[in-house]
Amino acid sequence: MPNDDTLIGIIPTKLGVRLFPGETFEWKSEVLIPLFHEWIRRGIPEGIPIDVADYSHLPEGPVTMIVGHEGDLICERQPGRSSLVYLLKRSTSGETRTSDALGTALERAFQCAASLEKEYPVEPRPHFNAARLEIFFNDRLNAPNTAEFYETIEPAVQNAFVSYPGLGILAIGRVENDPRERLTVSVESVNHSQISLDAL
Amino acid sequence: MSDKDTKTLSWKTHLFEKIRPDWREEIDDYEKALLLRREGRMDEKVFMETRLRRGAYGQRYDNGRRHDGTASRELPLPEREVRKGPDTLWHAPGMQRIKIPFGRLTARQLEVLADLAEEYSDGICHVTTRQDIQLHYVHIEDTPDIMRRLAAVGVTTREACGNTVRNVTACPRAGICRDAPFDVTPAAHALAFYLLGHPDTQNFGRKFKVSFSGCSEHACGLAFMHDLGIVAAVREQEGRIEEGFHVYAGGGLGPVPYQAKLLEEFLPPEELLPTAQAVGRIFARLGEKRDRSRARLKFLVDRLGIDEFRRLVKEEREGLTEDERWKDWSGAREAASEEPLKAPGEFPDPDPNSDFGRWISSNVYRQKQHGYAAVTVALPLGDITARQCRLLADIVRKYTKETLRLTVEQNIFLRWISASDLESLFHDLQSAGLAETGAETIEDVTACPGTDTCKLGIASSRGLAAELGRRLRKRGSGFDEIIGSLRIKISGCFNSCGQHHLADIGYYGTNRKVSGYSVPHFRVVLGGHWKENGSAYGLAVGAVPSRRIPETTERLLEKYRERRREGESFRDYVFRVGKTTITKDLEDLLTVPPHDVDPSFYVDWADAREFTIGDLGHGECAGDVVSAVDFGLAEAERIVFDAQVTLDSGDFRKAGKLAYRAMITTARALLRLPLPDIGTNPDEIVREFRSHFIEPGRFNLNFAKYLIGFHEAAGETSTPEHAHQRIEEAQLLIEAAHRAHQDHLEREAAAKRRPVTKGAS
Ligand code: SF4
């Protein structure tokens, strides 16, 4: 039984989920800009989307994003790979536990990824593999990038995935990144190397 | 202080020991102002100016409405009734401007900026045309922690916006420039920190911008477009070389650009601070306060004439009380001193057509110190990601003693690189995605935030700049040196934050109606003089549809190449051939196809919504002036709040003292009307308050008694009830002061309306 994570003392709502749309896939801002404006009209993603920001002139980092009140949806380009991030900044849904906040972020990330698979209007389209994803904590004070803190937070991460049995048994581990970066956790399915979003 | 018992840690506690006590107190006060505003206990205009003075600025859509391409819709933000300024929703994202005096940063500061960008913004640090950093999409409630984290590494956001002395800028080459007679950095440092929070700079009608330049020939400091432009100068006196400054006053861009006028031909260093202070005092006293469009110093200098302005400044200067900081710049000298990490080296001689060779020729500057180079890290549109900031911090530590500066061309300048390290530095920058070539050339397009985030933006300056940058970079090596050295600068509206007046090719956003549709356009401004401190502004020609600006740029360059006379600059060419010829050249590009033929003309760059100016908001720069009285009363309100919190925590004596301080602060606030320079001595304040307000019957005596009685008791309280009563009285005194202020304003307005009788003086 995972531990109760209400006592660990971290602000639970500042965290992100990173999904990967395929090894060679690259985002195109000229495609994302109209699509994201359309999404804002439809209230996607949940949590009060506000505007589209475009940074496609940069060699890395966010390409195009929807900035929202509760969270941002970011199509990003990191060295060697593209990804999709849902970053939960604050919550008005009353989450008081890290695992609940993480649950919200996962749900929104998966929803947006599925919509992108369907609505991305040009080839190649993104095909997300849910068998491998990352979580990061966007709060260096309350969620420091240390092995000790990772030990404390790991049960909450486990707990958040209870609602995703389709992922099978999970290998959860701390990503050994630059200590100045945010605490990042990799989550991989032990049973499957490829899981489509429909299977969740 | 300890974090031990807290479930959630706070930056306030965590950084307590790391922040200078005065800065800590300022940020705590700001946080209290947030609380008071949230509870509706602080006027929204006063709060707005309070946050602006801490750099927390508004952003597009913060009135809670946004045009989504089909209609203007209400953003469903929570608590829409809570405001952080007039028509500005509490929960709407805002911008945090971070003042970086003369653009100098350390590696640690860069790392902290990276953390802040990730945790509170959109992961990007944006370098502005005034050597600031801006974070966008910031929630107002996060701003106190942002300020604390910056303060802990020696950065204050105080006076980054609002009617204050804005960031003091200076040439990024100061101290290493081959043409400058001496390093202006210590002077810039001394003046920036002298004016910061100075009582004489708190009551301006508008912002006040200061810049330093190391020489008259180059553009780096852009002295002529500043309220106060200061240029290093030397003269020979009795066989000795003396250092000093040419000082210019009353310049500025904006819709009505003015060139600064010579205020002092040669000002000795020890006169710099008092002269700037005197200019500030004159501006505060005589500058326009009501009509904000005429409130910059340039209008005052223009109205008075530079000779009269100079006379007033000198007179004011004579009356100032000596301050030891005027002459003692030792702290500034120490803080501004720099040295290399490595020994000087040999400059490489790469193939000019290689990436490294191109980078060397466009991004590397030979310092006056033999064997050292300075390198421009070109940032597309002034943006750098959080990860790149960290990588750059590592690079800076590897090659220098953290000697880096932001530039007004929205780049980063690394100084004191040993020439033999250039190749290895190039590769390190390359792997961080920071080795873009073409710095400070035609490819390096400057743009203000425009419609991306600015409330006043009309057209997408950044979208256009990104598009032009992409196209020009593709052509990059195809330009000859003359074309390559031209500058393109873009503003999203006539306010000129992109400095388009100073560019060879400048554009600013405007709107045109075509068959009932709005169409984004850019007005073309040609031949601005970037060199010699931005010594001349460009010539405005027609407005071109935004979609056709890339073609317009091509056409302008092509014609220049065709018609240019030997050695003729772009500016000379533009003024020789004239507006009529150039307009004719562009004639076919001015047309807009009908909406059903080409709808792309009706959509702005990097956008997909049909163009509208319906999202235009009110600039916070152009809000009402919040007077020194309003500020003083808001401060008193904050102290009463503190008194109540202190009483609740059980310390009634301290609470009583705070209530007393609130009363004295209230009286002092009102006294700023007749006595702008009133000091802080309570006896003097009470004495003057009696003679200016109580005796002439200008303050309700019932409330005035609270002040007099408590002053006689020296602010002492004997029981918690007693303290509680004094807190209540302090609150009532503040209310009465607001009424007295209102009466004063009404009397003043009535006096202005009264017809002047002949012979009256
Ligand atoms: S020039 Fe206009 S659009 Fe650009 S930042 Fe200034 S006010 Fe905003």
Side-chain angles (χ1 to χ4, degrees):
Chain A
M1 180 70 187
N3 292 342
D4 181 347
D5 57 7
T6 51
L7 299 176
I8 56 170
I10 98 153
I11 299 170
T13 51
K14 297 179 84 182
L15 48 84
V17 171
R18 180 176 283 121
L19 305 177
F20 299 99
E23 290 285 289
T24 56
F25 179 80
E26 280 184 27
W27 297 112
K28 289 191 170 66
S29 68
E30 63 277 20
V31 168
L32 291 169
I33 291 171
L35 185 65
F36 280 179
H37 279 290
E38 166 64 21
W39 279 21
I40 292 176
R41 282 194 278 273
R42 287 159 46 198
I44 303 173
E46 250 181 82
I48 317 173
I50 295 175
D51 197 19
V52 178
D54 183 56
Y55 292 108
S56 54
H57 49 277
L58 294 177
E60 60 157 72
V63 177
T64 306
M65 62 195 286
I66 296 181
V67 181
H69 174 63
E70 289 180 23
D72 298 340
L73 182 73
I74 310 158
C75 292
E76 62 175 16
R77 174 170 46 208
Q78 294 300 354
R81 61 181 190 177
S82 295
S83 50
L84 176 75
V85 167
Y86 183 81
L87 174 67
L88 191 68
K89 300 191 286 193
R90 66 185 59 78
S91 164
T92 51
S93 327
E95 293 93 347
T96 52
R97 301 173 3 137
T98 300
S99 51
D100 292 342
L102 185 49
T104 303
L106 280 168
E107 196 182 314
R108 290 183 185 175
F110 285 137
Q111 274 167 2
C112 291
S115 301
L116 275 167
E117 285 186 350
K118 280 195 208 86
E119 298 182 30
Y120 202 77
V122 298
E123 291 294 342
R125 289 169 180 228
H127 292 290
F128 291 92
N129 177 9
R132 207 184 124 239
L133 56 93
E134 282 179 1
I135 287 154
F136 59 89
F137 292 87
N138 197 24
D139 183 343
R140 289 178 173 79
L141 180 64
N142 287 288
N145 189 4
T146 60
E148 302 75 59
F149 184 76
Y150 170 71
E151 294 298 319
T152 340
I153 199 73
E154 205 231 36
V157 176
Q158 290 274 10
N159 205 4
F161 283 91
V162 169
S163 348
Y164 295 97
L167 295 176
I169 299 169
L170 296 175
I172 295 180
R174 177 173 171 233
V175 173
E176 291 297 331
N177 54 6
D178 180 335
R180 296 171 298 180
E181 300 276 348
R182 294 169 287 196
L183 172 66
T184 303
V185 179
S186 82
V187 179
E188 272 185 56
S189 170
V190 174
N191 321 59
H192 313 280
S193 61
Q194 183 77 33
I195 303 175
S196 73
L197 295 175
D198 303 337
L200 293 180
Chain B
M1 294 190 82
S2 149
D3 283 326
K4 275 202 182 89
D5 301 320
T6 54
K7 206 163 94 173
T8 298
L9 308 180
S10 76
W11 287 109
K12 182 176 175 175
T13 312
H14 188 71
L15 297 175
F16 186 85
E17 301 293 346
K18 297 208 168 95
I19 306 177
R20 268 169 60 161
D22 54 337
W23 287 10
R24 196 166 61 209
E25 201 176 315
E26 281 170 13
I27 300 168
D28 290 350
D29 283 349
Y30 168 71
E31 194 167 48
K32 275 173 221 153
L34 248 80
L35 276 173
L36 288 171
R37 179 62 217 137
R38 189 94 171 69
E39 293 171 0
R41 290 169 59 195
M42 182 186 252
D43 175 76
E44 59 185 19
K45 280 184 194 155
V46 177
F47 177 70
M48 180 178 82
E49 185 63 18
T50 304
R51 68 173 162 76
L52 287 174
R53 288 182 182 211
R54 304 278 341 165
Y57 208 71
Q59 198 175 297
R60 207 165 177 87
Y61 316 123
D62 65 9
N63 60 357
R65 298 198 69 80
R66 175 180 178 274
H67 203 284
D68 70 4
T70 55
S72 174
R73 296 193 202 283
E74 211 164 73
L75 294 169
L77 291 163
E79 301 180 288
R80 288 180 63 90
E81 66 291 353
V82 190
R83 306 289 163 102
K84 53 184 170 178
D87 206 20
T88 312
L89 305 197
W90 185 261
H91 290 288
M95 177 264 274
Q96 177 66 53
R97 183 175 294 149
I98 300 162
K99 215 177 179 185
I100 309 291
F102 46 93
R104 199 185 59 173
L105 275 176
T106 64
R108 182 69 197 121
Q109 288 166 347
L110 207 49
E111 288 169 339
V112 168
L113 285 164
D115 294 353
L116 300 180
E118 281 177 340
E119 291 179 46
Y120 307 109
S121 173
D122 57 0
I124 303 291
C125 291
H126 175 72
V127 178
T128 75
T129 52
R130 298 211 73 255
Q131 295 176 314
D132 299 296
I133 295 273
Q134 283 180 189
L135 303 177
H136 291 104
Y137 305 104
V138 171
H139 195 287
I140 188 73
E141 288 172 8
D142 289 331
T143 53
D145 279 346
I146 291 179
M147 292 167 197
R148 290 190 178 101
R149 293 172 76 174
L150 289 166
V153 291
V155 175
T156 176
T157 66
R158 182 165 185 184
E159 295 167 12
C161 300
N163 301 326
T164 57
V165 179
R166 300 294 185 83
N167 195 29
V168 171
T169 58
C171 320
R173 290 181 187 168
I176 58 164
C177 178
R178 299 191 301 266
D179 302 308
F182 62 90
D183 183 2
V184 292
T185 312
H189 189 285
L191 187 61
F193 287 93
Y194 181 67
L195 296 181
L196 181 72
H198 194 288
D200 289 340
T201 63
Q202 303 304 304
N203 200 20
F204 293 163
R206 283 297 302 269
K207 57 191 167 187
F208 185 86
K209 295 180 176 175
V210 182
S211 118
F212 280 83
S213 196
C215 72
S216 301
E217 300 80 44
H218 299 296
C220 318
L222 299 172
F224 290 112
M225 53 154 273
H226 281 80
D227 295 287
L228 205 58
I230 300 159
V231 181
V234 282
R235 70 177 178 193
E236 214 185 303
Q237 284 292 87
E238 294 157 10
R240 278 187 312 117
I241 298 292
E242 281 184 359
E243 293 181 355
F245 303 95
H246 303 310
V247 178
Y248 300 84
L253 297 179
V256 192
Y258 281 69
Q259 285 278 315
K261 318 260 178 334
L262 187 65
L263 179 69
E264 284 290 344
E265 175 60 42
F266 190 89
L267 195 68
E270 64 277 13
E271 278 303 303
L272 183 64
L273 273 50
T275 300
Q277 184 183 347
V279 170
R281 288 174 66 91
I282 297 290
F283 180 45
R285 198 160 68 235
L286 303 180
E288 175 62 49
K289 296 265 171 45
R290 283 171 200 274
D291 178 0
R292 308 273 284 138
S293 65
R294 309 281 304 167
R296 289 289 297 273
L297 182 74
K298 61 188 178 184
F299 297 108
L300 179 65
V301 172
D302 193 52
R303 178 158 60 82
L304 296 173
I306 188 68
D307 295 332
E308 173 62 4
F309 184 74
R310 186 183 299 114
R311 188 190 69 73
L312 288 169
V313 169
K314 279 194 191 304
E315 194 177 274
E316 194 70 27
R317 157 68 191 95
E318 291 312 314
L320 293 179
T321 315
E322 178 91 19
D323 187 315
E324 62 185 24
R325 290 173 295 174
W326 291 352
K327 288 186 187 135
D328 181 10
W329 291 9
S330 50
R333 282 211 173 82
E334 196 182 322
S337 77
E338 284 181 355
E339 53 184 35
L341 178 69
K342 308 239 193 126
E346 284 298 309
F347 276 85
D349 182 21
D351 170 2
N353 295 318
S354 66
D355 287 348
F356 178 50
R358 273 195 295 277
W359 179 81
I360 286 277
S361 76
S362 60
N363 294 43
V364 174
Y365 174 81
R366 279 178 190 248
Q367 294 190 186
K368 75 172 177 194
Q369 294 84 0
H370 177 76
Y372 289 102
V375 165
T376 303
V377 178
L379 304 180
L381 307 186
D383 293 340
I384 179 167
T385 69
R387 197 184 86 96
Q388 286 179 315
C389 284
R390 283 186 203 105
L391 294 174
L392 187 59
D394 293 339
I395 292 172
V396 163
R397 288 191 181 105
K398 180 172 168 188
Y399 295 101
T400 72
K401 284 199 171 166
E402 306 192 27
T403 41
L404 74 122
R405 303 216 181 170
L406 309 176
T407 79
V408 297
E409 298 211 72
Q410 303 181 299
N411 293 322
I412 294 180
F413 199 54
L414 312 181
R415 301 148 55 101
W416 294 104
I417 308 290
S418 170
S420 48
D421 279 343
L422 282 167
E423 189 159 5
S424 137
L425 171 69
F426 171 71
H427 292 302
D428 286 346
L429 288 172
Q430 231 178 2
S431 46
L434 290 169
E436 187 92 56
T437 56
E440 296 172 11
T441 69
I442 193 164
E443 299 166 39
D444 192 5
V445 182
T446 305
C448 75
T451 48
D452 277 16
T453 50
C454 174
K455 290 164 86 162
L456 297 176
I458 294 176
S460 175
S461 40
R462 277 168 59 87
L464 174 61
E467 182 64 26
L468 280 182
R470 246 188 306 271
R471 295 186 190 209
L472 292 165
R473 267 194 302 280
K474 254 191 212 156
R475 292 265 320 266
S477 46
F479 293 125
D480 60 36
E481 210 189 311
I482 301 289
I483 300 283
S485 66
L486 300 181
R487 297 289 212 285
I488 300 180
K489 295 185 185 288
I490 309 174
S491 301
C493 76
F494 50 73
N495 281 313
S496 328
C497 305
Q499 302 173 342
H500 61 264
H501 292 294
L502 300 176
D504 297 290
I505 301 177
Y507 298 116
Y508 72 87
T510 173
N511 168 49
R512 290 281 184 277
K513 276 275 183 203
V514 178
S515 309
Y517 292 96
S518 291
V519 183
H521 277 63
F522 278 90
R523 189 167 269 284
V524 183
V525 180
L526 299 175
H529 205 191
W530 180 247
K531 295 212 177 95
E532 291 162 18
N533 281 295
S535 62
Y537 301 146
L539 177 75
V541 294
V544 178
S546 184
R547 282 285 140 185
R548 297 214 203 262
I549 291 289
E551 236 177 308
T552 303
T553 311
E554 280 293 328
R555 178 84 51 88
L556 289 166
L557 297 178
E558 198 182 288
K559 293 287 175 193
Y560 173 49
R561 204 176 294 135
E562 251 172 56
R563 298 183 185 135
R564 191 167 70 92
R565 290 181 180 159
E566 182 73 33
E568 189 176 42
S569 71
F570 190 75
R571 178 179 170 79
D572 291 344
Y573 155 76
V574 165
F575 283 85
R576 175 173 62 78
V577 302
K579 194 167 170 163
T580 319
T581 308
I582 295 175
T583 312
K584 215 166 165 33
D585 289 344
L586 304 179
E587 212 165 18
D588 59 311
L589 299 174
L590 305 183
T591 56
V592 177
H595 191 274
D596 52 351
V597 174
D598 191 347
S600 73
F601 275 75
Y602 300 78
V603 174
D604 214 336
W605 296 104
D607 206 332
R609 296 167 295 168
E610 183 135 322
F611 181 74
T612 170
I613 51 163
D615 288 325
L616 264 183
H618 297 289
E620 295 190 324
C621 278
D624 289 340
V625 179
V626 176
S627 69
V629 179
D630 292 321
F631 267 119
L633 295 179
E635 194 192 337
E637 189 87 52
R638 249 187 341 253
I639 302 171
V640 168
F641 177 86
D642 261 357
Q644 190 60 56
V645 173
T646 310
L647 184 63
D648 293 348
S649 72
D651 190 347
F652 75 86
R653 281 184 212 286
K654 192 172 165 203
K657 286 277 178 209
L658 284 166
Y660 174 62
R661 215 174 99 201
M663 287 193 193
I664 294 292
T665 305
T666 305
R668 182 169 183 265
L670 272 187
L671 280 167
R672 300 291 294 265
L673 291 168
L675 305 169
D677 293 327
I678 180 80
T680 51
N681 179 311
D683 291 335
E684 185 198 353
I685 289 171
V686 173
R687 194 174 55 245
E688 296 292 357
F689 194 72
R690 274 182 200 276
S691 80
H692 285 89
F693 286 93
I694 302 176
E695 285 157 14
R698 291 191 166 158
F699 198 92
N700 187 319
L701 191 60
N702 291 330
F703 299 112
K705 279 181 189 156
Y706 298 148
L707 169 73
I708 305 299
F710 206 17
H711 179 62
E712 280 164 5
E716 293 297 340
T717 45
S718 50
T719 63
E721 290 68 35
H722 194 193
H724 176 73
Q725 237 168 5
R726 298 292 91 88
I727 293 172
E728 295 283 315
E729 288 172 1
Q731 190 65 60
L732 290 169
L733 190 81
I734 295 171
E735 298 302 330
H738 276 293
R739 280 196 298 278
H741 185 210
Q742 192 56 37
D743 291 347
H744 168 86
L745 294 176
E746 279 165 17
R747 270 198 309 277
E748 207 181 54
K752 282 211 168 117
R753 282 196 302 271
R754 221 172 291 136
V756 181
T757 336
K758 236 184 170 180
S761 59

